[in-house]
Amino acid sequence: MQKKLVKAYYYELECTKKDKNGKKMLIDFDIDVFLRDIEKIPLEKRVIEYQGDYTRLETFFYPKECNDSLVALVFNRMSDFNTLRKSKLNEHSESIPLEDNEYIDKECSVVYNLDLKVLAIQNNRGALTARGVEQYLSQKYRDGKYEFQLKPVVSPNVVEAIKHKKLFRKIVIKLNNIGKYTQLAEGTKSELLISSFKSCQSIHSTTGLMEFSMGYNRKDNLDVNSTLQLVTDLEKNKNLVDKAEFYMRKNESDDEETTVLNFLQINLFDVLELEVVPRKPVLHQSIIKEMIDKMKKREGYLRRTSH
């Protein structure tokens, strides 16, 4: 018996619907309704096309020990390309033929926390990705009337790494989804962020790009306190931030921007340790059990960072 390491990434789930003026509104995603609708239709009706392949929600269940606070989903991605081969030690390899209605199948296990609206998604090469989950929900929930977006949960280690830096050379921030009635999170103090946000609203711009740089001045750095306050407030307003890049140098003698940290791209993940047996697949039940255990340990942090 051997061990296999698998990553599970965390995402916040956002569900939106356009009003009569075309403005996107946040809507509560009723996963119970979604699953009841899926359960009523045959397997072939659950399928959607995805990047030249097919995918469907294969199965789902509410783990008994979680008091309906979590639901487990298993998505299958089906492909008739890159078919498999088999070999024997004393014979040449040969392809495994597929019938007209047969596909190579890759599973992706997902655990959804109903209270926090956070998903843990198994990272399985060739299987469904977070973007694929978005597309599936958007097509199969309420007849496609809603849109879904999965936003990476930011790793606390990356945010702390930015906060411990002192030699900032350049910052590039892109704000998005700014509307007439949009508000910054309570307690936002960064004058840089507040000013940029208000400027967007004053000219009715839904997006705004701000850049602060030392330019050709190779001796000095951006103000540390203002930069760190900006980091803190960007965390509070993640739903409005499309990009957050911090350019730093390693030491005072280094006059180049040597490090770029975009904390919105540094996705929080856990490593699952699974037991594998020769000639037998890893059961999704084992993967989901590990994901649930990891998610429970992360619950405090997920609760603080989710909206």
Side-chain angles (χ1 to χ4, degrees):
M1 190 174 295
Q2 299 178 355
K3 298 288 186 181
K4 180 180 181 180
L5 301 181
V6 176
K7 289 183 178 180
Y9 288 88
Y10 292 91
Y11 298 87
E12 290 185 64
L13 180 66
E14 247 185 33
C15 178
T16 59
K17 181 182 180 181
K18 290 184 179 179
D19 64 13
K20 60 182 181 180
N21 297 317
K23 177 186 175 183
K24 286 187 176 182
M25 304 181 300
L26 286 176
I27 303 292
D28 285 333
F29 169 47
D30 192 334
I31 194 169
D32 294 321
V33 170
F34 166 68
L35 294 177
R36 282 199 300 268
D37 290 344
I38 286 289
E39 197 171 28
K40 293 176 184 176
I41 60 178
L43 284 177
E44 63 268 22
K45 296 294 184 179
R46 296 185 187 183
V47 176
I48 70 167
E49 292 189 23
Y50 175 67
Q51 294 185 350
D53 295 331
Y54 299 99
T55 191
R56 72 174 170 223
L57 178 59
E58 189 76 3
T59 187
F60 65 89
F61 60 92
Y62 294 85
K64 294 180 180 179
E65 69 276 15
C66 298
N67 298 320
D68 294 337
S69 62
L70 301 179
V71 60
L73 313 167
V74 180
F75 291 92
N76 280 10
R77 182 172 182 176
M78 299 170 285
S79 175
D80 51 9
F81 290 92
N82 298 319
T83 55
L84 300 177
R85 301 180 66 85
K86 64 180 181 179
S87 300
K88 294 182 180 179
L89 293 178
N90 61 342
E91 294 181 11
H92 291 294
S93 63
E94 60 180 354
S95 62
I96 301 175
L98 295 175
E99 300 293 335
D100 289 343
N101 195 35
E102 290 182 332
Y103 299 87
I104 299 300
D105 183 278
K106 285 288 186 73
E107 280 190 345
C108 171
S109 296
V110 176
V111 174
Y112 178 53
N113 187 309
L114 284 72
D115 297 330
L116 304 179
K117 298 181 175 62
V118 170
L119 291 90
I121 300 180
Q122 173 195 2
N123 182 38
N124 188 14
R125 186 175 181 181
L128 201 64
T129 63
R131 303 291 79 80
V133 174
E134 287 177 350
Q135 289 188 32
Y136 192 90
L137 295 177
S138 296
Q139 289 191 40
K140 289 298 182 183
Y141 182 59
R142 301 290 196 186
D143 296 323
K145 297 177 182 177
Y146 297 78
E147 291 185 5
F148 289 84
Q149 184 176 9
L150 290 175
K151 296 186 175 182
V153 175
V154 177
S155 170
N157 297 330
V158 174
V159 175
E160 290 305 312
I162 294 175
K163 289 182 177 179
H164 281 90
K165 299 292 183 180
K166 304 296 182 183
L167 306 176
F168 296 97
R169 295 282 303 158
K170 184 170 72 171
I171 304 168
V172 179
I173 307 295
K174 183 179 180 182
L175 302 179
N176 206 353
N177 300 319
I178 300 173
K180 181 179 179 181
Y181 301 106
T182 309
Q183 295 182 345
L184 290 172
E186 185 176 349
T188 300
K189 298 178 181 179
S190 171
E191 293 181 3
L192 300 175
L193 181 57
I194 294 171
S195 175
S196 298
F197 177 80
K198 288 184 176 179
S199 295
C200 287
Q201 285 192 321
S202 69
I203 60 171
H204 302 166
S205 173
T206 59
T207 64
L209 182 65
M210 53 179 169
E211 178 177 321
F212 307 98
S213 172
M214 296 308 301
Y216 293 106
N217 182 347
R218 298 298 182 184
K219 294 182 179 180
D220 297 324
N221 307 294
L222 297 173
D223 180 72
V224 174
N225 293 332
S226 297
T227 303
L228 296 183
Q229 182 63 61
L230 178 61
V231 174
T232 298
D233 288 341
L234 288 174
E235 288 183 78
K236 295 177 183 177
N237 294 277
K238 282 188 300 181
N239 59 314
L240 299 177
V241 183
D242 189 57
K243 179 191 293 185
E245 294 180 346
F246 296 82
Y247 295 70
M248 294 155 274
R249 56 182 179 177
K250 294 179 180 178
N251 51 61
E252 291 288 0
S253 62
D254 182 7
D255 65 357
E256 297 293 332
E257 298 95 348
T258 58
T259 306
V260 180
L261 290 178
N262 183 344
F263 71 70
L264 296 179
Q265 294 179 347
I266 309 299
N267 202 168
L268 177 67
F269 69 89
D270 275 316
V271 177
L272 316 177
E273 189 173 288
L274 306 170
E275 293 183 349
V276 293
V277 179
R279 296 179 176 81
K280 290 185 178 181
V282 179
L283 299 178
H284 65 253
Q285 292 90 337
S286 300
I287 298 172
I288 288 168
K289 182 181 182 302
E290 286 292 312
M291 293 172 74
I292 290 173
D293 290 342
K294 296 291 187 182
M295 180 177 274
K296 285 181 176 179
K297 293 178 181 178
R298 292 280 192 186
E299 187 170 352
Y301 177 74
L302 294 173
R303 192 170 295 279
R304 290 193 301 271
T305 56
S306 63
H307 297 292

